[in-house]
């Protein structure tokens, strides 16, 4: 129980110090909102089809960016090194940092979802599946952002490192083009992307159907990617956290 309190204390400190600032909240909403409006203007009837991809993209960029920014800022200020010297397990630090970044990403995604529903009448066929997609996506992408940040010293280095991952997966994961319309040679690459399964899980939550015949496929695949991201974050943190 004491470890849980420590996780919550780390998360609360990050939320109060970083995530609760109005510029960060608006930054997390403006780009996806503009993209959603652009899609609606072009094709009002297709907004529900593109919405899962836009929401998943919000999670990807919001969680990876903010998790990376917090770590690199604290490393420059010396706060992260002091946290490492505290009597805390490494898993407690990782979980606390990832939890705050995940809450930020989920909050922006939920606000965006509510706005799309109010403005465009987007349905919600299976809310539990939609929520599961948000939770798994936020957790996975936050851990990846932490992993990138702990390997470098500066914010721009973390962003550059993450962009090598974010932009390729953005265009192969069904965000802008459904998997059914992708060329055959591109589909195997799409199935290697964690973003693909988050997008398809959100499709199940919104419309009740997706590229996969069962929601268990993207659900289990997303859980697997979350476990891999946790293992990767733990391994890199132990090796590079003091740099």
């Amino acid at each position: 129980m004491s470890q849980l309190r420590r996780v919550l204390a780390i998360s609360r400190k990050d939320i109060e110090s970083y995530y609760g600032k109005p510029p960060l909240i608006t930054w997390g909403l403006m780009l996806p909102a503009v993209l959603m409006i652009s899609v609606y203007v072009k094709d009002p009837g297709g907004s529900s089809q593109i919405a899962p991809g836009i929401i998943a993209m919000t999670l990807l960029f919001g969680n990876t960016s903010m998790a990376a920014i917090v770590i690199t800022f604290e490393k420059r200020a010396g706060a992260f090194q002091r946290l490492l010297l505290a009597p805390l397990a490494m898993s407690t630090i990782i979980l606390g940092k990832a939890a705050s970044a995940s809450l930020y990403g989920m909050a922006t995604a939920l606000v965006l979802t509510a706005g799309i529903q109010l403005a465009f009448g987007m349905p919600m066929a299976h809310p539990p599946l939609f929520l599961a997609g948000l939770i798994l996506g936020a957790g996975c992408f936050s851990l990846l952002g932490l992993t990138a940040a702990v390997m470098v010293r500066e914010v721009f280095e973390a962003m550059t490192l993450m962009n090598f991952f974010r932009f390729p997966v953005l265009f192969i994961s069904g965000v802008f083009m459904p998997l059914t319309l992708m060329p055959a040679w591109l589909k195997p690459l799409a199935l290697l992307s964690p973003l693909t399964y988050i997008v398809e899980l959100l499709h199940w939550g919104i419309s009740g159907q997706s590229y996969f015949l069962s929601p268990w496929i993207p659900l289990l695949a997303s859980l697997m990617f979350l476990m891999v991201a946790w293992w990767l974050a733990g391994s890199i943190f132990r090796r590079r956290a003091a740099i």
Side-chain angles (χ1 to χ4, degrees), residues 48-69:
S48 294
Q49 293 299 315
I50 196 66
I54 300 297
I55 296 169
M57 184 186 70
T58 302
L59 287 175
L60 174 66
F61 279 85
N63 283 282
T64 55
S65 296
M66 295 312 303
I69 288 172

Side-chain angles (χ1 to χ4, degrees), residues 99-136:
S100 58
S102 298
L103 288 174
Y104 168 83
M106 288 185 60
T108 55
L110 286 172
V111 172
L112 178 63
T113 300
I116 294 173
Q117 286 185 300
L118 291 174
F120 310 130
M122 183 182 71
M124 189 62 66
H126 300 291
L129 290 177
F130 183 84
L131 185 59
L134 293 185
I135 294 172
L136 292 171

Side-chain angles (χ1 to χ4, degrees), residues 67-242:
I69 288 172
V70 169
I71 292 293
T72 49
F73 276 0
E74 291 193 343
K75 288 175 74 173
R76 291 184 63 184
F80 188 66
Q81 285 76 6
R82 290 193 294 271
L83 184 63
L84 293 175
L85 294 174
L88 297 171
M90 188 65 73
S91 58
T92 300
I93 297 174
I94 297 172
L95 187 57
K97 295 291 185 183
S100 58
S102 298
L103 288 174
Y104 168 83
M106 288 185 60
T108 55
L110 286 172
V111 172
L112 178 63
T113 300
I116 294 173
Q117 286 185 300
L118 291 174
F120 310 130
M122 183 182 71
M124 189 62 66
H126 300 291
L129 290 177
F130 183 84
L131 185 59
L134 293 185
I135 294 172
L136 292 171
C140 181
F141 300 144
S142 295
L143 290 169
L144 292 177
L146 295 176
T147 302
V150 82
M151 296 172 65
V152 298
R153 291 182 179 272
E154 301 293 338
V155 174
F156 73 89
E157 292 175 325
M159 294 298 103
T160 300
L161 184 60
M162 285 307 308
N163 285 340
F164 280 111
F165 164 77
R166 292 187 300 198
F167 283 104
V169 303
L170 187 64
F171 292 102
I172 66 170
S173 302
V175 173
F176 301 111
M177 177 187 296
L179 296 182
T180 53
L181 300 180
M182 283 188 179
W185 63 268
L186 192 57
K187 287 183 180 179
L189 294 177
L191 296 179
L192 295 176
S193 166
L195 184 60
T196 297
Y197 301 98
I198 299 301
V199 172
E200 296 304 315
L201 197 52
L202 296 181
H203 270 294
W204 270 105
I206 292 173
S207 63
Q209 56 186 356
S210 80
Y211 175 79
F212 299 106
L213 297 179
S214 170
W216 285 105
I217 298 175
L219 186 63
L220 293 176
S222 299
L223 183 59
M224 180 194 70
F225 276 110
L226 177 63
M227 295 173 63
V228 170
W230 173 261
W231 171 82
L232 182 63
S235 299
I236 300 299
F237 256 73
R238 289 180 179 88
R239 294 179 186 176
R240 304 292 298 271

